[in-house]
Short mmCIF file of all heavy atoms in Angstrom, two decimals:
data_model
loop_
_atom_site.label_atom_id
_atom_site.label_comp_id
_atom_site.label_asym_id
_atom_site.label_seq_id
_atom_site.Cartn_x
_atom_site.Cartn_y
_atom_site.Cartn_z
N MET A 67 -28.00 -30.82 36.68
CA MET A 67 -28.18 -30.46 35.30
C MET A 67 -26.85 -30.00 34.74
O MET A 67 -26.23 -29.10 35.26
CB MET A 67 -29.23 -29.36 35.23
CG MET A 67 -29.56 -28.95 33.87
SD MET A 67 -30.93 -27.80 34.04
CE MET A 67 -31.35 -27.67 32.39
N SER A 68 -26.38 -30.63 33.72
CA SER A 68 -25.09 -30.27 33.15
C SER A 68 -25.29 -29.21 32.08
O SER A 68 -26.22 -29.28 31.28
CB SER A 68 -24.40 -31.50 32.56
OG SER A 68 -25.11 -31.95 31.45
N GLU A 69 -24.38 -28.23 32.11
CA GLU A 69 -24.47 -27.18 31.09
C GLU A 69 -23.81 -27.67 29.82
O GLU A 69 -22.75 -28.28 29.85
CB GLU A 69 -23.77 -25.91 31.59
CG GLU A 69 -24.52 -25.24 32.69
CD GLU A 69 -23.90 -23.91 33.05
OE1 GLU A 69 -23.24 -23.32 32.18
OE2 GLU A 69 -24.05 -23.50 34.19
N LYS A 70 -24.43 -27.37 28.73
CA LYS A 70 -23.90 -27.78 27.43
C LYS A 70 -23.12 -26.62 26.84
O LYS A 70 -23.63 -25.51 26.74
CB LYS A 70 -25.07 -28.15 26.53
CG LYS A 70 -24.70 -28.90 25.31
CD LYS A 70 -25.95 -29.34 24.59
CE LYS A 70 -25.60 -30.21 23.43
NZ LYS A 70 -26.78 -30.59 22.68
N LYS A 71 -21.88 -26.88 26.50
CA LYS A 71 -21.06 -25.83 25.88
C LYS A 71 -21.56 -25.60 24.46
O LYS A 71 -22.00 -26.52 23.78
CB LYS A 71 -19.59 -26.22 25.86
CG LYS A 71 -18.96 -26.18 27.21
CD LYS A 71 -17.48 -26.29 27.10
CE LYS A 71 -16.88 -26.13 28.48
NZ LYS A 71 -15.46 -26.08 28.46
N ASP A 72 -21.44 -24.36 24.03
CA ASP A 72 -21.87 -23.99 22.68
C ASP A 72 -20.97 -24.68 21.68
O ASP A 72 -19.76 -24.42 21.62
CB ASP A 72 -21.80 -22.46 22.52
CG ASP A 72 -22.48 -22.00 21.25
OD1 ASP A 72 -23.11 -22.81 20.57
OD2 ASP A 72 -22.36 -20.79 20.95
N GLU A 73 -21.54 -25.58 20.90
CA GLU A 73 -20.75 -26.33 19.92
C GLU A 73 -20.47 -25.51 18.66
O GLU A 73 -19.55 -25.79 17.93
CB GLU A 73 -21.47 -27.62 19.56
CG GLU A 73 -21.55 -28.58 20.72
CD GLU A 73 -22.33 -29.83 20.37
OE1 GLU A 73 -22.57 -30.08 19.18
OE2 GLU A 73 -22.70 -30.57 21.29
N ASN A 74 -21.26 -24.49 18.41
CA ASN A 74 -21.08 -23.63 17.25
C ASN A 74 -20.73 -22.23 17.73
O ASN A 74 -21.61 -21.46 18.08
CB ASN A 74 -22.35 -23.58 16.39
CG ASN A 74 -22.69 -24.93 15.80
OD1 ASN A 74 -21.80 -25.68 15.45
ND2 ASN A 74 -23.96 -25.24 15.73
N PRO A 75 -19.44 -21.88 17.73
CA PRO A 75 -19.06 -20.54 18.19
C PRO A 75 -19.65 -19.48 17.27
O PRO A 75 -19.95 -19.74 16.11
CB PRO A 75 -17.53 -20.54 18.11
CG PRO A 75 -17.18 -21.65 17.21
CD PRO A 75 -18.30 -22.65 17.26
N PRO A 76 -19.85 -18.28 17.79
CA PRO A 76 -20.45 -17.22 16.97
C PRO A 76 -19.57 -16.87 15.77
O PRO A 76 -18.34 -16.93 15.84
CB PRO A 76 -20.56 -16.03 17.93
CG PRO A 76 -19.59 -16.32 19.02
CD PRO A 76 -19.47 -17.81 19.11
N ASP A 77 -20.23 -16.53 14.69
CA ASP A 77 -19.51 -16.15 13.47
C ASP A 77 -19.08 -14.69 13.59
O ASP A 77 -19.90 -13.80 13.80
CB ASP A 77 -20.43 -16.32 12.26
CG ASP A 77 -19.73 -15.99 10.95
OD1 ASP A 77 -18.49 -16.01 10.92
OD2 ASP A 77 -20.43 -15.71 9.97
N HIS A 78 -17.78 -14.45 13.47
CA HIS A 78 -17.25 -13.10 13.59
C HIS A 78 -16.99 -12.47 12.23
O HIS A 78 -16.29 -11.48 12.13
CB HIS A 78 -15.96 -13.10 14.42
CG HIS A 78 -16.18 -13.54 15.83
ND1 HIS A 78 -16.88 -12.80 16.73
CD2 HIS A 78 -15.80 -14.67 16.47
CE1 HIS A 78 -16.92 -13.44 17.89
NE2 HIS A 78 -16.29 -14.58 17.75
N GLY A 79 -17.51 -13.06 11.19
CA GLY A 79 -17.37 -12.51 9.85
C GLY A 79 -15.93 -12.57 9.37
O GLY A 79 -15.19 -13.49 9.71
N PRO A 80 -15.50 -11.56 8.58
CA PRO A 80 -14.16 -11.59 8.01
C PRO A 80 -13.06 -11.38 9.06
O PRO A 80 -11.92 -11.67 8.82
CB PRO A 80 -14.17 -10.44 7.00
CG PRO A 80 -15.26 -9.54 7.47
CD PRO A 80 -16.27 -10.42 8.15
N HIS A 81 -13.44 -10.88 10.24
CA HIS A 81 -12.45 -10.64 11.29
C HIS A 81 -12.47 -11.80 12.28
O HIS A 81 -12.88 -11.66 13.42
CB HIS A 81 -12.75 -9.32 12.01
CG HIS A 81 -12.80 -8.16 11.07
ND1 HIS A 81 -11.68 -7.65 10.47
CD2 HIS A 81 -13.84 -7.44 10.59
CE1 HIS A 81 -12.02 -6.66 9.69
NE2 HIS A 81 -13.33 -6.50 9.73
N GLN A 82 -12.03 -12.92 11.79
CA GLN A 82 -12.04 -14.11 12.63
C GLN A 82 -10.94 -14.02 13.67
O GLN A 82 -10.72 -12.97 14.24
CB GLN A 82 -11.88 -15.34 11.76
CG GLN A 82 -13.04 -15.51 10.79
CD GLN A 82 -12.78 -16.60 9.79
OE1 GLN A 82 -11.68 -17.12 9.68
NE2 GLN A 82 -13.79 -16.96 9.04
N HIS A 83 -10.27 -15.05 13.88
CA HIS A 83 -9.19 -15.08 14.86
C HIS A 83 -7.98 -14.35 14.30
O HIS A 83 -7.73 -14.36 13.11
CB HIS A 83 -8.84 -16.54 15.19
CG HIS A 83 -7.95 -16.67 16.35
ND1 HIS A 83 -6.59 -16.75 16.22
CD2 HIS A 83 -8.20 -16.71 17.68
CE1 HIS A 83 -6.04 -16.83 17.41
NE2 HIS A 83 -7.00 -16.83 18.31
N ALA A 84 -7.21 -13.71 15.16
CA ALA A 84 -6.08 -12.90 14.72
C ALA A 84 -5.04 -13.70 13.95
O ALA A 84 -4.31 -13.16 13.13
CB ALA A 84 -5.43 -12.22 15.92
N HIS A 85 -4.97 -14.99 14.18
CA HIS A 85 -3.93 -15.80 13.54
C HIS A 85 -4.45 -16.58 12.34
O HIS A 85 -3.76 -17.42 11.80
CB HIS A 85 -3.32 -16.77 14.56
CG HIS A 85 -2.65 -16.06 15.68
ND1 HIS A 85 -1.46 -15.40 15.54
CD2 HIS A 85 -3.02 -15.88 16.97
CE1 HIS A 85 -1.12 -14.86 16.69
NE2 HIS A 85 -2.05 -15.12 17.58
N THR A 86 -5.65 -16.27 11.92
CA THR A 86 -6.21 -16.94 10.75
C THR A 86 -5.52 -16.41 9.50
O THR A 86 -5.35 -15.22 9.33
CB THR A 86 -7.73 -16.66 10.65
OG1 THR A 86 -8.35 -17.11 11.84
CG2 THR A 86 -8.33 -17.38 9.47
N ALA A 87 -5.12 -17.33 8.64
CA ALA A 87 -4.45 -16.94 7.40
C ALA A 87 -5.41 -16.18 6.50
O ALA A 87 -6.60 -16.51 6.42
CB ALA A 87 -3.94 -18.18 6.68
N PRO A 88 -4.92 -15.13 5.80
CA PRO A 88 -5.79 -14.38 4.89
C PRO A 88 -6.19 -15.24 3.70
O PRO A 88 -5.47 -16.16 3.29
CB PRO A 88 -4.92 -13.21 4.45
CG PRO A 88 -3.53 -13.57 4.79
CD PRO A 88 -3.58 -14.60 5.87
N SER A 89 -7.32 -14.92 3.13
CA SER A 89 -7.81 -15.67 1.98
C SER A 89 -6.98 -15.32 0.74
O SER A 89 -6.26 -14.31 0.71
CB SER A 89 -9.28 -15.35 1.72
OG SER A 89 -9.41 -14.03 1.25
N THR A 90 -7.11 -16.11 -0.28
CA THR A 90 -6.40 -15.86 -1.53
C THR A 90 -6.79 -14.50 -2.11
O THR A 90 -5.93 -13.74 -2.57
CB THR A 90 -6.72 -16.97 -2.55
OG1 THR A 90 -6.34 -18.22 -1.99
CG2 THR A 90 -5.99 -16.75 -3.86
N GLN A 91 -8.07 -14.19 -2.07
CA GLN A 91 -8.54 -12.91 -2.60
C GLN A 91 -7.94 -11.75 -1.81
O GLN A 91 -7.55 -10.74 -2.39
CB GLN A 91 -10.07 -12.85 -2.57
CG GLN A 91 -10.62 -11.58 -3.21
CD GLN A 91 -10.23 -11.45 -4.68
OE1 GLN A 91 -10.25 -12.43 -5.41
NE2 GLN A 91 -9.87 -10.26 -5.09
N GLN A 92 -7.86 -11.89 -0.49
CA GLN A 92 -7.26 -10.84 0.32
C GLN A 92 -5.79 -10.65 -0.03
O GLN A 92 -5.31 -9.52 -0.12
CB GLN A 92 -7.40 -11.17 1.81
CG GLN A 92 -8.82 -11.04 2.32
CD GLN A 92 -8.98 -11.57 3.72
OE1 GLN A 92 -8.37 -12.57 4.09
NE2 GLN A 92 -9.82 -10.91 4.51
N MET A 93 -5.09 -11.75 -0.24
CA MET A 93 -3.67 -11.67 -0.61
C MET A 93 -3.51 -10.99 -1.97
O MET A 93 -2.60 -10.18 -2.16
CB MET A 93 -3.04 -13.06 -0.64
CG MET A 93 -2.93 -13.70 0.73
SD MET A 93 -1.89 -12.77 1.86
CE MET A 93 -0.30 -13.01 1.09
N ARG A 94 -4.38 -11.32 -2.91
CA ARG A 94 -4.32 -10.68 -4.23
C ARG A 94 -4.58 -9.18 -4.12
O ARG A 94 -3.91 -8.38 -4.77
CB ARG A 94 -5.33 -11.31 -5.17
CG ARG A 94 -4.92 -12.69 -5.63
CD ARG A 94 -5.93 -13.26 -6.60
NE ARG A 94 -5.50 -14.58 -7.03
CZ ARG A 94 -6.31 -15.56 -7.33
NH1 ARG A 94 -7.62 -15.39 -7.27
NH2 ARG A 94 -5.85 -16.73 -7.70
N THR A 95 -5.56 -8.82 -3.31
CA THR A 95 -5.89 -7.40 -3.13
C THR A 95 -4.71 -6.65 -2.52
O THR A 95 -4.36 -5.56 -2.98
CB THR A 95 -7.14 -7.25 -2.24
OG1 THR A 95 -8.23 -7.92 -2.88
CG2 THR A 95 -7.49 -5.79 -2.04
N VAL A 96 -4.12 -7.22 -1.49
CA VAL A 96 -2.96 -6.58 -0.85
C VAL A 96 -1.81 -6.45 -1.84
O VAL A 96 -1.18 -5.39 -1.93
CB VAL A 96 -2.51 -7.39 0.39
CG1 VAL A 96 -1.16 -6.92 0.90
CG2 VAL A 96 -3.55 -7.30 1.49
N GLY A 97 -1.55 -7.49 -2.62
CA GLY A 97 -0.49 -7.44 -3.63
C GLY A 97 -0.74 -6.37 -4.67
O GLY A 97 0.17 -5.63 -5.05
N GLN A 98 -1.98 -6.26 -5.13
CA GLN A 98 -2.32 -5.26 -6.14
C GLN A 98 -2.16 -3.85 -5.57
O GLN A 98 -1.62 -2.96 -6.22
CB GLN A 98 -3.75 -5.47 -6.64
CG GLN A 98 -4.13 -4.51 -7.76
CD GLN A 98 -3.27 -4.69 -8.99
OE1 GLN A 98 -3.07 -5.81 -9.46
NE2 GLN A 98 -2.78 -3.60 -9.54
N ARG A 99 -2.62 -3.66 -4.35
CA ARG A 99 -2.48 -2.34 -3.72
C ARG A 99 -1.01 -1.98 -3.53
O ARG A 99 -0.63 -0.82 -3.72
CB ARG A 99 -3.20 -2.31 -2.37
CG ARG A 99 -4.69 -2.30 -2.49
CD ARG A 99 -5.35 -2.26 -1.15
NE ARG A 99 -6.79 -2.24 -1.25
CZ ARG A 99 -7.61 -2.35 -0.22
NH1 ARG A 99 -7.14 -2.48 0.99
NH2 ARG A 99 -8.91 -2.34 -0.41
N ARG A 100 -0.21 -2.96 -3.17
CA ARG A 100 1.22 -2.70 -2.99
C ARG A 100 1.86 -2.31 -4.31
O ARG A 100 2.64 -1.36 -4.39
CB ARG A 100 1.91 -3.94 -2.39
CG ARG A 100 3.40 -3.75 -2.22
CD ARG A 100 4.02 -4.92 -1.51
NE ARG A 100 3.62 -4.88 -0.13
CZ ARG A 100 3.62 -5.95 0.68
NH1 ARG A 100 3.97 -7.12 0.23
NH2 ARG A 100 3.25 -5.83 1.93
N ARG A 101 1.54 -3.05 -5.37
CA ARG A 101 2.10 -2.72 -6.70
C ARG A 101 1.67 -1.33 -7.13
O ARG A 101 2.48 -0.55 -7.65
CB ARG A 101 1.68 -3.76 -7.73
CG ARG A 101 2.45 -5.06 -7.62
CD ARG A 101 2.15 -6.00 -8.77
NE ARG A 101 0.78 -6.48 -8.75
CZ ARG A 101 0.34 -7.51 -8.04
NH1 ARG A 101 1.18 -8.17 -7.27
NH2 ARG A 101 -0.92 -7.88 -8.08
N ASP A 102 0.39 -1.00 -6.92
CA ASP A 102 -0.10 0.33 -7.28
C ASP A 102 0.63 1.42 -6.51
O ASP A 102 1.01 2.45 -7.06
CB ASP A 102 -1.60 0.44 -7.03
CG ASP A 102 -2.43 -0.41 -7.99
OD1 ASP A 102 -1.89 -0.87 -9.01
OD2 ASP A 102 -3.64 -0.59 -7.70
N ALA A 103 0.83 1.19 -5.22
CA ALA A 103 1.52 2.18 -4.38
C ALA A 103 2.97 2.34 -4.81
O ALA A 103 3.49 3.47 -4.87
CB ALA A 103 1.44 1.77 -2.92
N GLU A 104 3.64 1.24 -5.12
CA GLU A 104 5.04 1.32 -5.57
C GLU A 104 5.15 2.05 -6.90
O GLU A 104 6.06 2.85 -7.11
CB GLU A 104 5.64 -0.08 -5.66
CG GLU A 104 5.89 -0.71 -4.30
CD GLU A 104 6.35 -2.15 -4.39
OE1 GLU A 104 6.34 -2.74 -5.49
OE2 GLU A 104 6.72 -2.69 -3.33
N GLU A 105 4.21 1.79 -7.80
CA GLU A 105 4.19 2.47 -9.10
C GLU A 105 3.97 3.97 -8.93
O GLU A 105 4.63 4.80 -9.56
CB GLU A 105 3.10 1.86 -9.97
CG GLU A 105 3.06 2.39 -11.38
CD GLU A 105 1.98 1.71 -12.21
OE1 GLU A 105 1.78 0.49 -12.04
OE2 GLU A 105 1.35 2.41 -13.02
N LYS A 106 3.04 4.32 -8.05
CA LYS A 106 2.75 5.72 -7.80
C LYS A 106 3.96 6.42 -7.16
O LYS A 106 4.31 7.54 -7.54
CB LYS A 106 1.54 5.82 -6.85
CG LYS A 106 1.06 7.22 -6.60
CD LYS A 106 -0.21 7.19 -5.75
CE LYS A 106 -0.73 8.57 -5.49
NZ LYS A 106 -1.95 8.54 -4.67
N LEU A 107 4.61 5.74 -6.22
CA LEU A 107 5.80 6.30 -5.59
C LEU A 107 6.90 6.52 -6.62
O LEU A 107 7.54 7.58 -6.65
CB LEU A 107 6.29 5.38 -4.48
CG LEU A 107 7.62 5.76 -3.83
CD1 LEU A 107 7.52 7.13 -3.15
CD2 LEU A 107 8.03 4.71 -2.82
N GLU A 108 7.13 5.55 -7.49
CA GLU A 108 8.15 5.68 -8.52
C GLU A 108 7.86 6.85 -9.43
O GLU A 108 8.76 7.61 -9.80
CB GLU A 108 8.27 4.38 -9.32
CG GLU A 108 9.38 4.40 -10.35
CD GLU A 108 10.76 4.61 -9.74
OE1 GLU A 108 11.01 4.15 -8.62
OE2 GLU A 108 11.60 5.28 -10.39
N HIS A 109 6.58 7.02 -9.78
CA HIS A 109 6.18 8.14 -10.63
C HIS A 109 6.49 9.47 -9.95
O HIS A 109 7.05 10.38 -10.56
CB HIS A 109 4.69 8.03 -10.96
CG HIS A 109 4.17 9.11 -11.83
ND1 HIS A 109 4.47 9.17 -13.18
CD2 HIS A 109 3.42 10.19 -11.56
CE1 HIS A 109 3.89 10.25 -13.69
NE2 HIS A 109 3.24 10.88 -12.73
N HIS A 110 6.15 9.57 -8.66
CA HIS A 110 6.42 10.80 -7.92
C HIS A 110 7.92 11.06 -7.80
O HIS A 110 8.37 12.21 -7.91
CB HIS A 110 5.80 10.74 -6.52
CG HIS A 110 4.32 10.93 -6.51
ND1 HIS A 110 3.71 12.09 -6.89
CD2 HIS A 110 3.32 10.09 -6.18
CE1 HIS A 110 2.40 11.96 -6.78
NE2 HIS A 110 2.14 10.75 -6.36
N LEU A 111 8.68 10.01 -7.59
CA LEU A 111 10.14 10.17 -7.50
C LEU A 111 10.73 10.66 -8.82
O LEU A 111 11.61 11.51 -8.84
CB LEU A 111 10.80 8.86 -7.06
CG LEU A 111 10.54 8.44 -5.62
CD1 LEU A 111 11.10 7.03 -5.38
CD2 LEU A 111 11.15 9.42 -4.65
N GLN A 112 10.23 10.11 -9.92
CA GLN A 112 10.72 10.56 -11.23
C GLN A 112 10.36 12.02 -11.47
O GLN A 112 11.18 12.78 -12.00
CB GLN A 112 10.13 9.68 -12.33
CG GLN A 112 10.73 8.29 -12.39
CD GLN A 112 10.07 7.41 -13.43
OE1 GLN A 112 9.14 7.82 -14.13
NE2 GLN A 112 10.54 6.18 -13.53
N GLU A 113 9.15 12.41 -11.09
CA GLU A 113 8.77 13.82 -11.23
C GLU A 113 9.67 14.71 -10.40
O GLU A 113 10.10 15.78 -10.84
CB GLU A 113 7.31 14.02 -10.80
CG GLU A 113 6.31 13.53 -11.81
CD GLU A 113 4.88 13.83 -11.37
OE1 GLU A 113 4.65 14.15 -10.18
OE2 GLU A 113 3.99 13.74 -12.22
N ALA A 114 9.95 14.29 -9.18
CA ALA A 114 10.80 15.09 -8.29
C ALA A 114 12.21 15.20 -8.87
O ALA A 114 12.81 16.27 -8.83
CB ALA A 114 10.84 14.46 -6.90
N ARG A 115 12.74 14.11 -9.41
CA ARG A 115 14.08 14.15 -10.02
C ARG A 115 14.09 15.10 -11.20
O ARG A 115 15.02 15.86 -11.40
CB ARG A 115 14.50 12.75 -10.45
CG ARG A 115 14.88 11.84 -9.32
CD ARG A 115 15.40 10.51 -9.85
NE ARG A 115 15.36 9.51 -8.79
CZ ARG A 115 14.59 8.42 -8.81
NH1 ARG A 115 13.80 8.16 -9.84
NH2 ARG A 115 14.61 7.58 -7.81
N HIS A 116 13.04 15.03 -12.00
CA HIS A 116 12.94 15.88 -13.19
C HIS A 116 12.87 17.35 -12.79
O HIS A 116 13.55 18.20 -13.38
CB HIS A 116 11.71 15.49 -14.02
CG HIS A 116 11.51 16.35 -15.23
ND1 HIS A 116 12.37 16.28 -16.31
CD2 HIS A 116 10.59 17.30 -15.52
CE1 HIS A 116 11.96 17.16 -17.21
NE2 HIS A 116 10.89 17.78 -16.75
N LYS A 117 12.06 17.66 -11.79
CA LYS A 117 11.95 19.05 -11.32
C LYS A 117 13.27 19.52 -10.75
O LYS A 117 13.68 20.66 -10.98
CB LYS A 117 10.85 19.16 -10.27
CG LYS A 117 9.46 19.09 -10.86
CD LYS A 117 8.41 19.22 -9.78
CE LYS A 117 7.03 19.09 -10.37
NZ LYS A 117 5.97 19.17 -9.33
N ASP A 118 13.94 18.66 -10.00
CA ASP A 118 15.22 19.02 -9.40
C ASP A 118 16.25 19.29 -10.49
O ASP A 118 16.98 20.28 -10.44
CB ASP A 118 15.71 17.90 -8.47
CG ASP A 118 16.93 18.31 -7.68
OD1 ASP A 118 16.93 19.42 -7.11
OD2 ASP A 118 17.89 17.50 -7.61
N THR A 119 16.29 18.45 -11.51
CA THR A 119 17.22 18.63 -12.62
C THR A 119 16.89 19.91 -13.37
O THR A 119 17.78 20.69 -13.71
CB THR A 119 17.14 17.42 -13.59
OG1 THR A 119 17.41 16.24 -12.85
CG2 THR A 119 18.15 17.54 -14.71
N SER A 120 15.62 20.16 -13.63
CA SER A 120 15.20 21.38 -14.33
C SER A 120 15.54 22.62 -13.51
O SER A 120 15.98 23.63 -14.05
CB SER A 120 13.69 21.35 -14.58
OG SER A 120 13.36 20.28 -15.41
N HIS A 121 15.35 22.53 -12.20
CA HIS A 121 15.64 23.66 -11.32
C HIS A 121 17.14 23.99 -11.36
O HIS A 121 17.52 25.16 -11.45
CB HIS A 121 15.20 23.34 -9.89
CG HIS A 121 15.53 24.41 -8.91
ND1 HIS A 121 14.89 25.63 -8.89
CD2 HIS A 121 16.46 24.46 -7.92
CE1 HIS A 121 15.40 26.37 -7.93
NE2 HIS A 121 16.35 25.69 -7.32
N HIS A 122 17.98 22.96 -11.29
CA HIS A 122 19.43 23.19 -11.32
C HIS A 122 19.86 23.76 -12.67
O HIS A 122 20.72 24.64 -12.74
CB HIS A 122 20.19 21.90 -11.01
CG HIS A 122 20.14 21.51 -9.57
ND1 HIS A 122 20.63 22.31 -8.56
CD2 HIS A 122 19.66 20.41 -8.96
CE1 HIS A 122 20.45 21.72 -7.39
NE2 HIS A 122 19.84 20.56 -7.61
N ALA A 123 19.27 23.27 -13.75
CA ALA A 123 19.62 23.77 -15.08
C ALA A 123 19.20 25.23 -15.22
O ALA A 123 19.96 26.05 -15.77
CB ALA A 123 18.95 22.91 -16.15
N GLU A 124 18.02 25.58 -14.73
CA GLU A 124 17.54 26.95 -14.79
C GLU A 124 18.44 27.87 -13.96
O GLU A 124 18.77 28.98 -14.38
CB GLU A 124 16.09 27.02 -14.28
CG GLU A 124 15.44 28.37 -14.44
CD GLU A 124 15.24 28.78 -15.89
OE1 GLU A 124 15.03 27.89 -16.74
OE2 GLU A 124 15.31 29.98 -16.18
N ALA A 125 18.84 27.42 -12.78
CA ALA A 125 19.72 28.23 -11.92
C ALA A 125 21.07 28.45 -12.59
O ALA A 125 21.64 29.55 -12.53
CB ALA A 125 19.90 27.54 -10.57
N ALA A 126 21.59 27.43 -13.27
CA ALA A 126 22.87 27.56 -13.94
C ALA A 126 22.77 28.56 -15.11
O ALA A 126 23.69 29.35 -15.34
CB ALA A 126 23.33 26.20 -14.46
N LYS A 127 21.64 28.55 -15.82
CA LYS A 127 21.45 29.50 -16.92
C LYS A 127 21.41 30.93 -16.40
O LYS A 127 21.98 31.84 -16.98
CB LYS A 127 20.15 29.19 -17.66
CG LYS A 127 20.21 27.99 -18.56
CD LYS A 127 18.88 27.79 -19.26
CE LYS A 127 18.88 26.53 -20.08
NZ LYS A 127 17.57 26.29 -20.70
N GLN A 128 20.70 31.12 -15.27
CA GLN A 128 20.61 32.46 -14.70
C GLN A 128 21.96 32.96 -14.21
O GLN A 128 22.30 34.12 -14.38
CB GLN A 128 19.61 32.47 -13.54
CG GLN A 128 18.16 32.34 -14.01
CD GLN A 128 17.19 32.33 -12.85
OE1 GLN A 128 17.58 32.35 -11.69
NE2 GLN A 128 15.90 32.30 -13.17
N GLU A 129 22.76 32.09 -13.63
CA GLU A 129 24.09 32.49 -13.16
C GLU A 129 25.00 32.84 -14.34
O GLU A 129 25.80 33.75 -14.28
CB GLU A 129 24.71 31.37 -12.33
CG GLU A 129 24.09 31.21 -10.96
CD GLU A 129 24.70 30.06 -10.18
OE1 GLU A 129 25.72 29.50 -10.64
OE2 GLU A 129 24.16 29.73 -9.12
N GLY A 130 24.86 32.10 -15.44
CA GLY A 130 25.68 32.34 -16.61
C GLY A 130 25.31 33.61 -17.35
O GLY A 130 26.15 34.23 -17.98
N SER A 131 24.06 34.03 -17.26
CA SER A 131 23.64 35.21 -18.00
C SER A 131 23.88 36.50 -17.22
O SER A 131 23.71 37.58 -17.75
CB SER A 131 22.14 35.10 -18.36
OG SER A 131 21.36 35.09 -17.18
N GLU A 132 24.23 36.41 -15.98
CA GLU A 132 24.44 37.62 -15.16
C GLU A 132 25.81 38.20 -15.35
O GLU A 132 26.79 37.79 -15.61
CB GLU A 132 24.22 37.32 -13.68
CG GLU A 132 22.76 37.05 -13.39
CD GLU A 132 22.52 36.71 -11.92
OE1 GLU A 132 23.46 36.67 -11.13
OE2 GLU A 132 21.37 36.49 -11.57
#
């Protein structure tokens, strides 16, 4: 009796083979998340620069008034 190999491999859902190319929707989602993260980082960096500039200006005023 010959064994028949499974002609239909089990469906592993969205986590198919490790080398399977991502879908277009997945690529769009990753791109959007990356843009959002970069925008958020830029915003935080601008806030930090502004606080640093304000801090230095405040320190200079205090030194000048003493």
Side-chain angles (χ1 to χ4, degrees):
M67 183 174 190
S68 67
E69 290 187 26
K70 195 174 185 183
K71 288 192 175 186
D72 191 7
E73 294 177 14
N74 296 324
D77 182 21
H78 296 291
H81 303 288
Q82 297 171 350
H83 191 266
H85 298 288
T86 302
S89 70
T90 301
Q91 184 60 41
Q92 289 171 323
M93 292 298 292
R94 287 182 180 147
T95 300
V96 169
Q98 184 62 48
R99 288 180 180 173
R100 178 174 288 158
R101 284 188 293 276
D102 290 346
E104 289 174 351
E105 185 178 322
K106 185 175 181 180
L107 174 62
E108 184 60 34
H109 181 73
H110 284 295
L111 290 173
Q112 287 176 359
E113 284 183 345
R115 286 185 198 116
H116 178 70
K117 286 181 182 178
D118 188 47
T119 303
S120 298
H121 176 71
H122 286 299
E124 186 66 32
K127 285 181 185 177
Q128 288 179 356
E129 286 178 9
S131 64
E132 290 179 359

